[in-house]
Each structure stands twice: as structure tokens, then as C-alpha cells.
């Protein structure tokens, strides 16, 4: 599998990440403690009410969280570890619908020792909306807060 990329941004943890590949996630921006990603909502991502399934929104936010937690180009010392979720909360604010483009913006809020705290905002916009930016990528549809823990790579 090839890493999911856009605009030259890539992350090694997307190699063999078949869920993110199936979702069609595109990486827009990666920085230390930050990731911005997007995807198009397809019919098979909808629930019985015709809106985005909460599990799809959660999985999308979780991918942004993972990308923000793990360095894209780890040093040899960093490569001996991985950072995983120790807990998350999500609040669904508005529904999203087929054809919309959703964007997740993940930012580290705090990090100490092996623990971290990340906030991820998820937005939805129509596909014909003007180009999304980090500051206004559409209407806010969910707030995701992740708690991370760095562990030894097995």
C-alpha cells in the first residue's frame, strides 16, 4: 500500500492503514503536534438516517489524532516508540451528509512525560465551497478530545 498523501504531506503510520485508505483520507498538513486531513463522505459512510455515521466521524477524528501524536519523520529514538490513544471523547454538534467534504484539524494542547492531550475539530463543507483553510474549513460538526500515551513499539 502507498501512503495516503496530498500536497507532499505524508506520514509513515498510514502505510498499511487500510481503514484510512478505504475512507479516502487525504493529508493536508503535518507539523509537530498538528495534523490536518480531509475526506469526502460517500454513501457507504451514512447511517439509516442518511447522515454520516457517528463511527465514521469518530474514525476520521481518530486518524487526525494519531497523525498529530506521532512524528512524521521520527528520530531513531522516537522510532522505538509509538503513541496511542489512552482515551477519547467526542461530541457531535451537527450532522454531515453524503457529498460533503469533512476536514479534521488536530492540535496538541499539552504533553508531559509519556502523556498528551489533543483537541480535534471536525468540519463539513459542500464540495463546491471555496478552498478550505485551517482557520475556516466549513461548519463545525464535532469536537474530539484525545488523551495519548507513548509506549514501546512491539
Amino acid at each position: 500500500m502507498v501512503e495516503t498523501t496530498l500536497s507532499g504531506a505524508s506520514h509513515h503510520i498510514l502505510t498499511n492503514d487500510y481503514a484510512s485508505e478505504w475512507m479516502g483520507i487525504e493529508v493536508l498538513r503535518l507539523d509537530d503536534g498538528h495534523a490536518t486531513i480531509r475526506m469526502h463522505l460517500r454513501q457507504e459512510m451514512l447511517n439509516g438516517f442518511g447522515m454520516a455515521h457517528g463511527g465514521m466521524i469518530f474514525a476520521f477524528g481518530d486518524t487526525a489524532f494519531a497523525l498529530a501524536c506521532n512524528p512524521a519523520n521520527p528520530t531513531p529514538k522516537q522510532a522505538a516508540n509509538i503513541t496511542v490513544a489512552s482515551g477519547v471523547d467526542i461530541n457531535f454538534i451537527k450532522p454531515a451528509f453524503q457529498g460533503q467534504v469533512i476536514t479534521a484539524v488536530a492540535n496538541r494542547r499539552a504533553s508531559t512525560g509519556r502523556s498528551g492531550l489533543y483537541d480535534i475539530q471536525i468540519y463539513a463543507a459542500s464540495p463546491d465551497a471555496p478552498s478550505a483553510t485551517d482557520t475556516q474549513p466549513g461548519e463545525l460538526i464535532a469536537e474530539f478530545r484525545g488523551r495519548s500515551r507513548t509506549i514501546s513499539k512491539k
Side-chain angles (χ1 to χ4, degrees), residues 6-151:
L6 182 71
S7 304
S10 67
H11 202 296
H12 66 92
I13 68 170
L14 292 174
T15 302
N16 299 321
D17 182 342
Y18 302 110
S20 293
E21 179 183 32
W22 177 83
M23 289 189 294
I25 291 174
E26 300 172 293
V27 177
L28 300 178
R29 182 174 159 215
L30 294 171
D31 293 307
D32 181 38
H34 172 86
T36 301
I37 62 174
R38 77 172 168 211
M39 76 176 187
H40 296 270
L41 287 172
R42 304 185 312 264
Q43 182 178 13
E44 61 271 24
M45 297 173 165
L46 306 180
N47 62 23
F49 298 114
M51 58 184 132
H53 191 288
M56 290 289 107
I57 302 300
F58 182 92
F60 182 65
D62 190 47
T63 298
F65 176 36
L67 293 171
C69 288
N70 290 279
N73 299 301
T75 65
K77 182 179 178 182
Q78 290 171 324
N81 298 311
I82 57 173
T83 302
V84 298
S86 63
V88 299
D89 297 298
I90 190 165
N91 292 292
F92 300 106
I93 298 166
K94 292 182 81 171
F97 301 95
Q98 181 177 346
Q100 286 189 303
V101 176
I102 60 173
T103 303
V105 179
N107 287 295
R108 182 186 311 132
R109 295 294 176 218
S111 180
T112 184
R114 297 187 305 143
S115 299
L117 183 66
Y118 293 77
D119 285 336
I120 299 91
Q121 287 76 40
I122 302 171
Y123 302 90
S126 67
D128 56 356
S131 293
T133 65
D134 278 352
T135 56
Q136 192 50 44
E139 289 188 89
L140 184 67
I141 63 165
E143 288 273 355
F144 182 114
R145 174 160 272 192
R147 295 169 302 282
S148 69
R149 187 72 169 173
T150 300
I151 61 173

